[in-house]
Amino acid sequence: MAKLSCNYFPDLPANWLCNHCHAQYSERCIPAGHSAHWGRRGPRCILCNTELRYLGSATGAKPFWQMLPHFFHYPLHINSLIVIVGLALGSLLLGGGLFTLFLVLFGLAVMIKYSFAIIEQRGSGATTPPGLGEVLSSDQDHLFLKQIAVLFLMGVIVGLAYQVGELVGVLVGGFITLAMPASTMLLAVEKSVGRALNPLAQLSLMTAVGWPYVLLWFCVQIISAGPYYGFELLGGTLPDILLMPLLVAISVYFTFVLYTMLGYVLFEYQHELGFESAVDEDPLTPEEFEKAKALGEVAVLIKEGDYIRARTSLRKALDAVRDDMELHQSYHKLLMLLDDDSALTNHAQFFIELSQRKNMLGKAVPVVLDVQTRVPGFQLDNTKLALDLARLLQQQGKHRAVVRLFHNLHKTKGDDPHLPAAYLVVAKIFHEYLNDDAKAKALVEFVLKKYPHAAQKAQLLQILESIDKTAKTLP
């Protein structure tokens, strides 16, 4: 199908569509859309609250002709190899009489049953073949017998057509040959011999796929010819005891390749064909769901400019998942878009303390830099925490941000025990990085005068000495 992109994350395929406002959402906007977290009616449009329509899980699927290497690699998985090797070894028991007939029928039944299991699994989006249990379990749909019946009845139809006239026979036979892939897919999906033989159903499927169906038919013919080329290459070169198992293995392998391709076509065109592949989503806890849902809603609402609703959504999620760093980062970005400096400042204080508690203080650096652009006098309530943050800022070369972090600290927190350490950091920055020895000297002299017994006294004196030496070297 034509790839539909998400309106809000254009690099992601759209999985949900609103028929009312035509918004297209990806799984990032609508997480776990089939889970019970959304209630019985399922997810609703973030913009207009209309029920969403699921587009299927294949909106971003590659065209089947680009997946040919995958089809040939798919049967080499251990699950399908067990079936291939088992059938190959079973051929060693072939001899004569009724027992051989029974073995042949049993082998055909296993191969066809497993082939249809491949269509079902690959059609649902699974990338690994079904397990051996698919062969050993009972066949409630009797697909082996139905496939035999379809092939037999097709032969009867062609025979009857030739009795009407040679031209009619050729036309009917040509159509049946062309419709064979469609018939097999119909049988796999609807489990009905009548639907698999219905020319209108076959035409409907072929029309839904469109012109790529012709390419699919050619690929089917080429893959179906694979065993014959294998027979020609191996014939007369191997002893009989090895030849028969190898020829059986080749035949089964190419059959599985063919059915893998048919299953993928069902997956790729599920929307056009009117069915949805089975959805097997990772279960989310209520807290994980609230977080993912809020992040999806906020991304959509911010791009739509609805900051008030986005804030409400995030606040609700933060009530359920209070200390989640990703949610708080999103909330900070949202506050930067709003005209609420008080909320921005308060949240920055909380976020920086939270990041320290979680040993993720590095995530606080961009928050501080953002807030300083909006609130020039921003200071942390905890000066010790500010010193830890200042070290990270210095490592990133954000020296002026450190200066702003402690600007006029003696006026706002004159009795703070960490003030000497903070002003030592600022004095070093003025002297070593900003070439402003006058301010560095003023800070040092202030601290030495007010805190004559500060633990940083020796370092402060070293800065004074360095400033004096610098001054003497100047012309």
Side-chain angles (χ1 to χ4, degrees), residues 175-293:
F175 177 80
I176 286 180
T177 302
L178 179 65
M180 187 64 73
S183 174
T184 304
M185 289 188 282
L186 285 169
L187 182 60
V189 172
E190 304 195 26
K191 324 293 185 190
S192 168
V193 172
R195 291 289 290 173
L197 289 172
N198 188 329
L200 295 179
Q202 295 166 353
L203 279 171
S204 177
L205 189 149
M206 289 187 279
T207 303
V209 174
W211 70 264
Y213 183 85
V214 178
L215 181 59
L216 172 66
W217 184 83
F218 276 112
C219 290
V220 168
Q221 304 312 305
I222 293 171
I223 293 173
S224 299
Y228 299 103
Y229 291 113
F231 298 161
E232 291 184 5
L233 288 174
L234 297 176
T237 62
L238 294 174
D240 291 342
I241 194 170
L242 294 178
L243 183 61
M244 181 58 69
L246 193 55
L247 294 180
V248 169
I250 291 173
S251 298
V252 176
Y253 167 77
F254 277 99
T255 300
F256 289 173
V257 171
L258 174 60
Y259 278 70
T260 302
M261 182 172 65
L262 296 179
Y264 183 84
V265 170
L266 285 174
F267 172 73
E268 181 187 354
Y269 289 93
Q270 59 183 267
H271 181 58
E272 288 85 348
L273 298 176
F275 72 95
E276 298 175 3
S277 61
V279 177
D280 184 18
E281 295 177 333
D282 293 332
L284 297 177
T285 65
E287 292 78 14
E288 291 171 336
F289 172 73
E290 284 297 332
K291 172 185 173 179
K293 179 174 178 284

